[in-house]
Amino acid sequence: MKVAIVGASGAVGQEFLRLLDERDFPMDELVLFGSERSAGRTYSFRGKDIKVKLLKHGDDFRDINIAFTSAGAGTSREYADDITRYGCVMIDNSSAFRMDDDVPLVVPECNAADALNRPRGIIANPNCTTIMMVVVLQPLEQLSHIRRIRVSSYQSASGAGAAAMAELEQQYREIVETGEVKTVNKFPHQLAYNVIPQVDVFQPNGYTKEEMKMFNETRKIMHTDVRCSATCVRVSSLRSHSESVWIETERPLSVEEAQQAIAQAPGCTLVDDPANLKYPMPLYTAGKDDVFVGRVRKDLCDDNGLTLWLSGDQIRKGAALNAVQIAEHLIRVGNVK
C-alpha cells in the first residue's frame, strides 16, 4: 500500500501526517507532494525523514494506491487526471468536485457505501461545517425524516488555513503589545475580539458560498430533500467549529430519544448536563476526533422541532480525519487497487 499526501505542508496536510501515524494506517510507503514553495521540505513520519516532492504533471502517481489532496480547488482540478490515471483513488479535500454527479461526497458515518461507486476515481471530502452537522443529524434522520434545518455556525480561524490561524494569534499579540491590530490579510476584517458574519464570498441570493454548501452538500450526503438555511460566522476560536442547529422532523422527537440516538451514534459524543454547566465548547473539542453535542431541547416555535449545539475540530473531523476514515473503509472492504 502506497499513499500520497498532496499539500503536505498545509494545516490539513500536517494533520494527515499525524492521523496516519496515530491510527496506524496500513501502508508500506508515504509520498509527499507540494508546491514550489514547499518542495524540498522534510517531514518525519514513523521514524523516517520524507522530502516533499514538487507536484507536477506526469506519472508520479502510477504506483500510488490512495492520494489525499488538500492543496485547493484549482490544484485538484489541474492534477486530477494525473493522480487518477493509473487507478489511484483521489480523496479530495477541496470544493472542486463536491457537487459533480459522478463524484461521491462521503461522510463514512452517513453514506460510506457511496465511496465504492466513483467513475472518475475521485471521492470528495465535504465542507467542514456540513461534515459535523450530518454526523449528528444522521441518527436523528433514522428516527424521523428531517424536513428542515436552520443552522448558525461559529467557525474557527483554521477553516481558512494555517496562515489564518497564525494571523489570529498575531492579531492578539499586536493588541497586547501596541493596542491595535495591524495585520488583516486572511479575513475581510479583524478577527481578534470580533465575529465576522461572512464565511466565503456572497452569492446573488444574499447567502455566502459556505452557506450554500451546507444546503447542497447535506442533501447529497444524506440522500434527502431536506432544506437547510444557514448563517455562517467566523469567530476567534483557533481550530474548532461550533454550530447551533434547529431541525423540524416529520414526527415529534422527544429530547430523551434524540439524546439516546446521538449518544449511541458513531462519531458523536453527548455532553449534555446544563445543570452542571457541561456542554461542548471549542476550547475542549480541539484535538478530538468526535463531534460533541449538547443542549438538546424542544424547539419552542415548532412542535416537531428540536434544537441542539455541537462542536468539533475543524482540521480533524472537518477535514483530514474524515478523509482518512474514507480510505480506511475502502481498505476494509477491499476496494482499493
Side-chain angles (χ1 to χ4, degrees):
M1 179 66 63
K2 194 172 180 179
V3 173
I5 299 173
V6 178
S9 298
V12 176
Q14 290 294 292
E15 199 69 23
F16 276 129
L17 283 169
R18 285 188 286 270
L19 283 168
L20 293 173
D21 190 26
E22 285 177 14
R23 298 172 74 85
D24 196 23
F25 190 89
M27 73 175 85
D28 302 296
E29 185 178 350
L30 178 64
V31 185
L32 306 180
F33 291 95
S35 64
E36 290 184 357
R37 185 177 58 201
S38 60
R41 292 183 186 177
T42 299
Y43 296 103
S44 179
F45 181 76
R46 294 181 180 172
K48 296 181 180 180
D49 288 338
I50 305 174
K51 184 176 289 188
V52 178
K53 299 175 64 174
L54 177 65
L55 181 65
K56 62 183 187 301
H57 294 291
D59 295 340
D60 283 342
F61 290 85
R62 179 187 293 271
D63 300 321
I64 292 174
N65 303 92
I66 297 172
F68 300 105
T69 56
S70 186
T75 299
S76 291
R77 291 191 192 97
E78 180 179 351
Y79 291 94
D81 289 343
D82 297 274
I83 293 170
T84 60
R85 182 177 299 131
Y86 300 104
C88 174
V89 179
M90 177 180 177
I91 303 178
D92 185 50
N93 196 56
S94 80
S95 62
F97 309 108
R98 287 174 182 160
M99 296 312 299
D100 290 7
D101 291 338
D102 53 358
V103 174
L105 184 69
V106 176
V107 177
E109 293 89 344
C110 300
N111 63 331
D114 288 1
L116 308 184
N117 180 23
R118 46 179 191 277
R120 293 162 61 184
I122 303 169
I123 301 169
N125 212 35
N127 182 49
C128 47
T129 45
T130 307
I131 291 173
M132 295 179 193
M133 185 174 74
V134 299
V135 166
V136 174
L137 296 190
Q138 182 66 24
L140 302 181
E141 172 71 16
Q142 293 171 348
L143 296 175
S144 177
H145 176 53
I146 300 171
R147 292 172 171 169
R148 295 181 180 87
I149 305 166
R150 295 175 177 87
V151 54
S152 289
S153 70
Y154 305 83
Q155 298 182 218
S156 62
S158 63
M165 297 169 71
E167 178 169 300
L168 176 60
E169 292 174 322
Q170 176 64 23
Q171 287 180 355
Y172 279 117
R173 279 193 296 269
E174 290 173 352
I175 290 170
V176 171
E177 294 170 1
T178 70
E180 62 178 341
V181 169
K182 301 175 181 177
T183 305
V184 181
N185 298 314
K186 300 301 294 185
F187 303 108
H189 303 279
Q190 171 186 326
L191 185 57
Y193 292 136
N194 196 19
V195 298
I196 303 172
Q198 176 190 354
V199 179
D200 216 322
V201 297
F202 285 101
Q203 304 297 288
N205 63 357
Y207 286 81
T208 66
K209 192 174 179 180
E210 183 88 352
E211 291 157 357
M212 293 311 301
K213 288 176 187 176
M214 297 194 75
F215 180 95
N216 293 313
E217 292 180 19
T218 299
R219 293 161 71 99
K220 183 174 180 179
I221 296 163
M222 297 182 69
H223 300 288
T224 178
D225 60 355
V226 69
R227 291 189 290 172
C228 177
S229 183
T231 299
C232 293
V233 181
R234 188 76 68 185
V235 300
S236 55
S237 168
L238 195 60
R239 61 175 287 160
S240 273
H241 287 358
S242 301
E243 301 175 28
S244 185
V245 185
W246 293 258
I247 63 168
E248 178 189 301
T249 51
E250 284 188 343
R251 73 167 178 87
L253 298 180
S254 71
V255 170
E256 292 74 22
E257 64 180 324
Q259 288 173 322
Q260 183 178 14
I262 291 167
Q264 295 174 349
C268 295
T269 295
L270 184 71
V271 181
D272 197 1
D273 184 9
N276 291 300
L277 308 184
K278 294 182 179 180
Y279 31 70
M281 293 182 287
L283 184 64
Y284 302 112
T285 62
K288 307 288 198 317
D289 286 348
D290 278 4
V291 180
F292 290 74
V293 187
R295 301 212 59 203
V296 182
R297 57 201 189 277
K298 292 293 291 185
D299 192 322
L300 298 179
C301 298
D302 187 340
D303 291 340
N304 285 30
L306 282 176
T307 299
L308 59 86
W309 171 262
L310 65 86
S311 184
D313 189 303
Q314 182 272 330
I315 305 176
R316 291 180 80 91
K317 185 54 184 174
L321 175 61
N322 194 74
V324 171
Q325 289 173 319
I326 293 171
E328 290 171 339
H329 177 70
L330 298 182
I331 293 170
R332 191 161 49 245
V333 301
N335 195 244
V336 183
K337 72 170 185 177

